[in-house]
Amino acid sequence: MGIRNYLIEGSSGTGKTSVASELERRGCHVVHGDRVLAYVGDPETGQALAGPPEGADRIAWGYAHWIWPAEKVRAIAADTTHPVTFFCGGSRNFHKFLHLFDKVFVLDIDVETLNRRLDGRPDEPGFERAERALVLRYHNTREYLPVGITIDTAGSITSVVDDILAQLT
């Protein structure tokens, strides 16, 4: 195992990318899971998939099959060249590698602020009406989120990252 590994998860619009960028700005080792690890695949087998089956809800199917390669997560987590590694992003197969993390932080926010953030992201998940409904449903139900330490991201990104760093072991 690496020295310390932490997962930062949350639904769309809760601030995963902003937290990752602030951690990097502070000199931390960060893996942007949604940018460098994620792909559409089977959450159980890890097999890459071309797209939804005929008749499937494209948006819901895409969310349900957004995964990370478990073997690559294991390899990065085992790297001891960094004292701490933060994995930031969403993965529907987190159950395959959750045991690798010293702590899991789940970003959360009130619905009004979430809607405001999603309104300002025209090229991101949750902007279009059908995606918004799904994002709000997942936000409400916490579906596809691991159990972890809840971090309220309504404040400044600086205070959010300060809160996370204060809770490291």
Side-chain angles (χ1 to χ4, degrees), residues 72-163:
K72 190 167 185 178
V73 173
R74 279 192 287 280
I76 296 168
D79 180 358
T80 59
T81 60
H82 303 283
V84 173
T85 297
F86 292 94
F87 291 75
C88 301
S91 172
R92 306 310 170 249
N93 66 332
F94 60 79
H95 62 282
K96 296 286 188 179
F97 45 78
L98 201 58
H99 64 283
L100 301 173
F101 299 104
D102 295 280
K103 287 189 178 180
V104 175
F105 297 97
V106 180
L107 306 185
D108 197 14
I109 197 160
D110 61 276
V111 174
E112 182 180 319
T113 305
L114 176 60
N115 274 312
R116 195 169 47 252
R117 286 184 182 174
L118 295 173
D119 286 342
R121 301 171 13 155
D123 297 325
E124 298 286 329
F127 183 77
E128 294 183 24
R129 176 172 286 176
E131 282 184 339
R132 176 77 54 102
L134 192 64
V135 167
L136 292 174
R137 185 182 103 204
Y138 291 160
H139 179 264
N140 183 49
T141 64
R142 300 182 68 79
E143 189 175 348
Y144 296 125
L145 292 177
V147 173
I149 299 165
T150 300
I151 302 292
D152 183 352
T153 62
S156 72
I157 193 63
T158 302
S159 66
V160 169
V161 171
D162 287 346
D163 189 12

Side-chain angles (χ1 to χ4, degrees), residues 45-75:
T45 67
Q47 178 182 352
L49 301 171
E54 183 84 22
D57 177 329
R58 177 187 61 81
I59 297 167
W61 187 90
Y63 270 84
H65 293 87
W66 187 251
I67 66 172
W68 294 355
E71 66 284 345
K72 190 167 185 178
V73 173
R74 279 192 287 280

